[in-house]
Amino acid sequence: MDIEYDVSDHVATITLNRPHQRNAFTLGMIEHWAQMLRQAESDPEVRAVVLTGVAGSFCSGVDLAEFANRERSPLAERNLLTERVHMVAHAAEALSKPYLAAVGGPAVGAGMDMALMADLRMAGTSATFCQGYIRVGLVPGDGGCYYLPRIVGMATALRLMWTAEVVDAEQAVRIGLVSSVHPDNELADACQTLARKLAGMPPVAVRLIKRAAYASQHADLRGALELIAAYQAVMTSTEDSAEAMEAFLNRRPAQFRGR
């Protein structure tokens, strides 16, 4: 399989598995990828999702060979993105559970955009990021103009998109593109450890925090506070909230059931 899905310890792992093409994605992979994210969202046993690639690469973007013979009309180009490639962005936006990207090796063009869709990115020392579209006369086609300014700020994002500058792991952590850098041979374990930690938190609270944080980007303070008040009312009615308080008072590990 060019893209694989596995669930263990409440963590779903999506693995890009095209080492001979540096994990460049095909349209078939896009459809499976979006379906995997939807599956993770609907599965109560999944509480966090990790995205990674094999063989020292994260994702080199679209498989140009597959896209070479496509219809070249403006309408066809638009539909290729909106009806096919953007399926993953829509599925990622709908995912209410933590979505982590473990980036080892290159993340280029749409491959970088795919990493930007995650809630946070962890990098191996070999990781590099490049918004390389402009080098081939294109604009970021898979969300780069949306995600990147929100993550690193507008000026830095524009510089990276205008110049196709290659950002290494240390620079990526300095500008806030990734949250941490790890030796390549420790990256997978580090990302899984964080994912399992998040999976061990009260699932409803984790999901409501994610929804409130993203909603706050488009709300004023009053609206954000009204939303969190409603979420708090929901949270205090859950079994997990009562379990968390009881476990805290009795100094024992809590056992959360997601309800």
Side-chain angles (χ1 to χ4, degrees):
M1 289 285 291
D2 288 341
I3 185 167
E4 300 175 350
Y5 183 85
D6 176 71
V7 178
S8 178
D9 297 329
H10 298 294
V11 176
T13 301
I14 298 172
T15 304
L16 308 180
N17 187 29
R18 295 188 79 214
H20 57 293
Q21 295 291 343
R22 295 199 305 169
N23 299 324
F25 61 78
T26 64
L27 290 177
M29 288 172 67
I30 285 289
E31 293 172 4
H32 285 107
W33 195 337
Q35 177 56 38
M36 289 169 181
L37 289 171
R38 290 191 291 266
Q39 182 177 339
E41 175 66 16
S42 64
D43 185 350
E45 291 301 308
V46 172
R47 299 181 181 178
V49 182
V50 170
L51 172 66
T52 191
V54 301
S57 292
F58 179 73
C59 180
S60 58
V62 301
D63 186 332
L64 295 177
E66 177 173 290
F67 287 72
N69 297 320
R70 68 190 184 277
E71 184 182 346
R72 291 287 186 166
S73 72
L75 180 60
E77 290 283 346
R78 177 186 181 278
N79 290 346
L80 176 67
L81 292 177
T82 60
E83 297 177 8
R84 305 293 296 279
V85 174
H86 294 168
M87 292 172 64
V88 176
H90 294 307
E93 182 184 40
L95 183 67
S96 63
K97 303 170 183 181
Y99 187 29
L100 285 60
V103 182
V108 182
M112 179 174 173
D113 290 346
M114 291 296 194
L116 299 177
M117 295 173 196
D119 299 312
L120 60 86
R121 289 146 296 284
M122 301 170 70
T125 52
S126 68
T128 58
F129 299 84
C130 180
Q131 283 283 310
Y133 294 94
I134 203 165
R135 290 179 177 172
V136 290
L138 298 175
V139 297
D142 200 14
C145 291
Y146 176 86
Y147 298 110
L148 196 55
R150 287 167 166 79
I151 295 169
V152 301
M154 183 63 74
T156 298
L158 287 173
R159 188 187 83 238
L160 296 181
M161 292 186 287
W162 281 337
T163 66
E165 175 185 336
V166 177
V167 175
D168 65 18
E170 291 303 324
Q171 183 181 357
V173 78
R174 285 198 302 271
I175 65 176
L177 181 57
V178 303
S179 62
S180 57
V181 178
H182 307 266
D184 286 333
N185 62 352
E186 298 177 10
L187 174 62
D189 286 344
C191 194
Q192 289 289 332
T193 296
L194 177 56
R196 287 193 296 270
K197 181 177 182 178
L198 298 178
M201 300 295 181
V204 177
V206 169
R207 297 169 76 173
L208 292 181
I209 288 169
K210 176 173 175 174
R211 288 300 190 216
Y214 280 108
S216 72
Q217 294 182 314
H218 310 286
D220 58 18
L221 176 61
R222 186 172 296 276
L225 293 177
E226 287 289 342
L227 178 64
I228 207 65
Y231 281 179
Q232 191 76 294
V234 170
M235 194 61 219
T236 55
S237 72
T238 64
E239 294 179 15
D240 281 351
S241 181
E243 165 66 7
M245 184 62 69
E246 183 178 338
F248 176 78
L249 293 174
N250 290 287
R251 299 182 180 180
R252 63 167 176 82
Q255 300 294 322
F256 299 119
R257 303 173 67 183
R259 59 189 188 188

